Amino acid sequence: MPRSAPSSSLSPLRSRARVGRPDWLSSPKVLRTEVLAGLVVALALIPEAISFSIIADVDPAVGLFASFTMAVVISVVGGRKAMISAATGAVALVIAPLNRDHGFGYLVAAVILAGVIQIVLGALGVAKLMRFVPRSVMVGFVNSLAVLIFMAQVPEMHDVPWPVYPLIAAGLALMVLFPRVTKVVPAPLVSIVILTVVTVAAGIAVPTVGDKGELPSSLPTPGLPDVPFTFETLKTIAPYALAMALVGLMESLMTAKLVDDITDTRSNKTRESIGQGVANVVTGFFGGMGGCAMIGQTMINVKVSGARTRLSTFLAGAFLMVLCVVFGPVVSDIPMAALVAVMVMVSVATFDWHSVAPKTLRRMPAGEITVMVVTVAFVVATHNLAIGVVVGSVTAMVIFAKRVAHQADVTAVVDPDGKQAVYAVTGELFFASSNDLVHRFDYANDPEHVVIDLTDAHIWDASSVAALDAVEAKYAARGKKVTITGLNEPSAKFHGNLSGELTGGH
């Protein structure tokens, strides 16, 4: 009994110590999952980062350095655990013209400015705009992402030696069948290792990671962008920086929301927005091309490998540099077919097959299907996820406004003695539903007193107040009086503030 007392007295301290431990130290299984997931993502990042460097017309090392710094920094300052941020195609497309027209120094300066803009937008609460993205847009976003991931692999399967195709098939088979044997090691990693060993041992000549570009042999070093620090420079880089900031935030916040749904957890979108900015500022000072959340690699990390903590994100960046600097010759021998197989599997796993099932389509309202199709069409056509999300959201808002507008109605009831007319207005009154409100009254034949009952209606905007003012004016022109009743408190306040003020008064 005496010996048990000290143990009991220390339990609160031990409890507090456990609370402060990182979640990836909760068990050896979690730690193993995070480490192996980070390794798989790092391997998949190398050819992607090199490809995006080519799009931006910069040296492959620039994209690799950006992926390294983005992943490491966002793992600490980001708001969404296990999400991967690195150099991306969307950012590369935005800043490529700046690099071609003005040089690499201006590109780096634009990356730093874009990061500053993202920090400011994050602090101002831009993440709250995500609440206006409907579910149908989110589904379209996910499906278009899956299509883009698959389309990005098509060039790697065109005009290549014939062994590439059986290697891709073998890689897919391994990723489908290996989890039935064990899930201790991620199937994508097993597939990459086995296909690499087979191609090297058998001397099979197929495209490899090394064919994409030369890997860096040293770590990046910090420095200032090589540009004149003048207002003219700011004018030159500002449009590109703003575009990069908006595209990067859009993709990152959409990806964070997607990971939230997959993991059934919530993330701090404001912290993520600011974190993306910090990561881009750091990346710029290290000579990187900037970036944002990478949806394909995030799906490898979260959905395929099962990662859930910041460690996998950090290790993805750390392993990337170790693989390039220390194991460059080995990594260069990885066949592209192995990585193509991984990304094809990711695209299949990412696509929301339930959303296009005949049973779902039969039950889904036509407007929801339209929004999903519009989102997918614009993303695939422009290869820009941000454009698709914006167009899809606007389409959803228009369809919603049209649907709600039809719910507003006006019913006339004439008193038996004929001394007054009562009009009952129901529904939501806003610009789309109040436009034809003026034409629903019988100005010529109504008695001298007209009552407009808004008990079952709600006034949302100035257009509705202006429409009611117009109704009153038309009756007043005929010497008739209008009384508006039944306004709820917000509608009464809105009407009281604006009535008579929208057309210069009566």
Side-chain angles (χ1 to χ4, degrees), residues 183-275:
K183 294 184 179 179
V184 173
V185 182
L189 180 59
V190 173
S191 176
I192 291 170
V193 171
I194 290 178
L195 293 186
T196 302
V197 170
V198 168
T199 54
V200 172
I204 302 173
V206 291
T208 64
V209 171
D211 296 330
K212 287 288 182 180
E214 186 177 352
L215 302 182
S217 57
S218 62
L219 295 174
T221 55
L224 294 174
D226 184 18
V227 294
F229 292 89
T230 63
F231 183 70
E232 288 300 317
T233 299
L234 181 62
K235 282 173 55 180
T236 301
I237 66 174
Y240 297 94
L242 179 61
M244 175 184 164
L246 295 176
V247 169
L249 281 182
M250 178 75 74
E251 293 208 22
S252 299
L253 293 176
M254 290 294 290
T255 306
K257 192 172 188 299
L258 177 59
V259 177
D260 289 354
D261 293 340
I262 293 173
T263 60
D264 197 24
T265 58
R266 294 186 64 183
S267 58
N268 188 330
K269 305 298 190 302
T270 297
R271 177 177 173 179
E272 182 61 37
S273 302
I274 296 173

Side-chain angles (χ1 to χ4, degrees), residues 388-475:
V389 170
V390 170
V391 174
S393 297
V394 172
T395 303
M397 291 175 188
V398 171
I399 292 175
F400 173 78
K402 184 178 179 182
R403 184 185 304 155
V404 174
H406 288 306
Q407 304 301 316
D409 195 19
V410 179
T411 305
V413 180
V414 180
D415 275 0
D417 57 9
K419 291 185 177 179
Q420 75 174 10
V422 178
Y423 287 90
V425 181
T426 59
E428 310 299 322
L429 299 182
F430 64 110
F431 62 89
S433 61
S434 61
N435 282 337
D436 51 352
L437 187 68
V438 179
H439 308 296
R440 304 294 296 276
F441 298 86
D442 190 355
Y443 302 102
N445 300 317
D446 279 342
E448 292 185 357
H449 187 210
V450 177
V451 177
I452 301 177
D453 184 5
L454 296 175
T455 301
D456 296 319
H458 188 99
I459 296 175
W460 288 104
D461 63 2
S463 297
S464 302
V465 176
L468 291 172
D469 283 354
V471 171
E472 290 188 75
K474 286 181 178 294
Y475 277 116

Side-chain angles (χ1 to χ4, degrees), residues 285-359:
F285 280 119
F286 275 90
M289 58 183 279
C292 62
M294 291 195 77
I295 306 172
Q297 272 63 27
T298 298
M299 290 300 100
I300 293 175
N301 197 45
V302 174
K303 202 164 187 177
V304 178
S305 301
R308 293 292 183 270
T309 78
R310 297 180 183 275
L311 181 64
S312 58
T313 306
F314 175 84
L315 290 178
F319 282 149
L320 173 65
M321 276 294 98
V322 172
L323 289 170
C324 290
V325 176
V326 181
F327 299 103
V330 176
V331 173
S332 296
D333 287 334
I334 295 175
M336 285 301 301
L339 299 176
V340 169
V342 171
M343 298 309 293
V344 169
M345 183 62 72
V346 169
S347 70
V348 172
T350 301
F351 196 90
D352 186 350
W353 297 101
H354 176 73
S355 67
V356 296
K359 183 179 179 181

